[in-house]
Amino acid sequence: STHCISSAASDVYKRQDLTTAVEIGQAGNRIVDYANENSADLIVIPSHGHSAITRAFLGSVAERVIRHSECPTLVLRRDNTA
């Protein structure tokens, strides 16, 4: 699956210098730690677009990454118009 992610990302961005990784642990913490350990230039992460109330109960990986990462973070939101 990592190869599929890399391939799709390369197709979208037309770049071959993308890095993907599979980590185990608390998602938000692991993403931030990995980015910091590897001097990432950018984190790209999806968002489900939950309301503030839902986020308060479930938490938000994207929100944790935005608040704690040392590099820029691009949050992609799902298009619900289809």
Side-chain angles (χ1 to χ4, degrees):
S1 68
T2 301
H3 175 70
C4 293
I5 293 169
S6 296
S7 177
S10 293
D11 289 345
V12 170
Y13 293 100
K14 305 293 184 216
R15 295 180 57 170
Q16 297 302 315
D17 60 343
L18 298 173
T19 302
T20 59
V22 176
E23 297 283 327
I24 297 173
Q26 294 280 49
N29 295 337
R30 286 304 310 138
I31 292 168
V32 170
D33 290 346
Y34 182 89
N36 292 342
E37 291 164 5
N38 292 279
S39 301
D41 296 319
L42 174 70
I43 299 171
V44 179
I45 188 168
S47 173
H48 294 290
H50 292 300
S51 69
I53 294 171
T54 305
R55 263 195 325 270
F57 288 108
L58 299 177
S60 170
V61 172
E63 187 172 346
R64 175 170 288 282
V65 171
I66 290 167
R67 290 184 186 276
H68 298 285
S69 67
E70 295 176 4
C71 69
T73 303
L74 174 64
V75 179
L76 305 176
R77 189 165 181 180
R78 180 176 24 180
D79 181 9
N80 290 327
T81 59

